[in-house]
Amino acid sequence: MSVLNLTFEIKKLIFHISSVHSAFSHIDPEKILVSVNNVKNSNMHGTYAKIYPLRFKDGEKSTLFKRRGRLFKYSMPAVTVDEKEMLYIICFMIPRFMNRPLRDKLITIIHELYHISPDFNGDIRRFPGKNYAHGSSRDKYNKVIGDFVDEYMQMPGSAEHLHFLSVDMDELRRNYKMIVGKKLSVPKVKIEKE
């Protein structure tokens, strides 16, 4: 029995997706941190993953907000790994994420990757209107994600990169001596009065 590094396997999958699927070719996985966070409630309801952009709108490192008539400057601290500045953190909730069917796990990963700005500048992809994160229709957003998943699953090498997702957490525990992964805290935004 060997050790399974979940963050390494997810990151390897992100590298593959960005190298073979044109909708994700703008992504540089070297500037994405992957985290696996344990959740006590392992039932199927709740969040499976979340992306944290490390920049504000248009990739800005800081932005101004008005609260209660006062102006505040919000700044995002730099997160570096091996002297490279990270632009995104994607956290997966374990075991909840791993207990989903394979296709649902891939939908979750691609859903989070599609939130990444086409400019890959640390901001999210912004749609016009009030619901800028998912666009005017959540159904349309989900359809696009489903199409991307179907396309990716047909691409050469996808089965090899999806193998670790084909089982649930209990099966992984039976198959590996140990399961490890990076657990990261999301950096806190610095707030200053202007």
Side-chain angles (χ1 to χ4, degrees):
M1 287 178 124
S2 58
V3 175
L4 176 71
N5 184 326
L6 268 180
T7 50
F8 175 81
E9 293 299 330
I10 294 170
K11 187 83 171 253
K12 197 165 76 168
L13 174 58
I14 291 170
F15 266 98
H16 190 252
I17 291 167
S18 66
S19 70
V20 299
H21 199 295
S22 61
F24 304 97
S25 62
H26 64 289
I27 291 174
D28 177 1
E30 293 281 352
K31 295 184 177 184
I32 298 173
L33 282 174
V34 174
S35 172
V36 290
N37 295 353
N38 292 330
V39 290
K40 292 177 184 173
N41 183 352
S42 64
N43 70 29
M44 302 313 278
H45 302 290
T47 303
Y48 302 111
K50 182 163 178 52
I51 190 164
Y52 295 94
L54 298 177
R55 295 282 186 279
F56 296 100
K57 188 174 181 185
D58 299 324
E60 293 293 327
K61 291 185 178 185
S62 63
T63 190
L64 296 176
F65 281 101
K66 209 172 202 178
R67 283 192 336 202
R68 298 183 191 132
R70 289 180 149 168
L71 197 59
F72 292 88
K73 181 180 180 182
Y74 286 45
S75 301
M76 189 63 76
V79 176
T80 57
V81 175
D82 298 329
E83 298 182 16
K84 288 183 187 160
E85 192 164 358
M86 299 294 111
L87 294 177
Y88 301 90
I89 298 173
I90 305 176
C91 296
F92 294 89
M93 309 311 163
I94 304 299
R96 186 183 296 146
F97 167 74
M98 287 304 299
N99 288 340
R100 305 287 293 153
L102 169 62
R103 187 171 190 280
D104 290 355
K105 286 181 244 191
L106 188 54
I107 283 172
T108 299
I109 292 169
I110 287 184
H111 177 110
E112 299 308 325
L113 292 177
Y114 196 59
H115 276 305
I116 292 173
S117 168
D119 295 326
F120 197 75
N121 59 6
D123 189 14
I124 64 168
R125 179 183 303 270
R126 292 176 182 267
F127 293 94
K130 189 170 58 173
N131 189 4
Y132 62 87
H134 293 100
S136 60
S137 168
R138 190 76 176 235
D139 289 339
K140 283 182 188 173
Y141 187 93
N142 290 338
K143 166 97 172 67
V144 168
I145 299 305
D147 290 346
F148 288 154
V149 166
D150 293 338
E151 290 163 8
Y152 176 71
M153 290 181 86
Q154 299 303 312
M155 291 180 172
S158 64
E160 170 192 334
H161 287 85
L162 294 171
H163 180 72
F164 76 103
L165 292 177
S166 64
V167 297
D168 66 12
M169 201 68 190
D170 288 339
E171 186 68 23
L172 282 180
R173 287 185 181 117
R174 285 191 290 272
N175 294 339
Y176 292 92
K177 177 175 73 173
M178 190 183 320
I179 299 167
V180 298
K182 285 183 187 173
K183 183 177 181 181
L184 303 168
S185 297
V186 178
K188 293 187 177 176
V189 174
K190 184 179 174 184
I191 304 172
E192 302 170 291
K193 289 181 187 175
E194 276 293 293

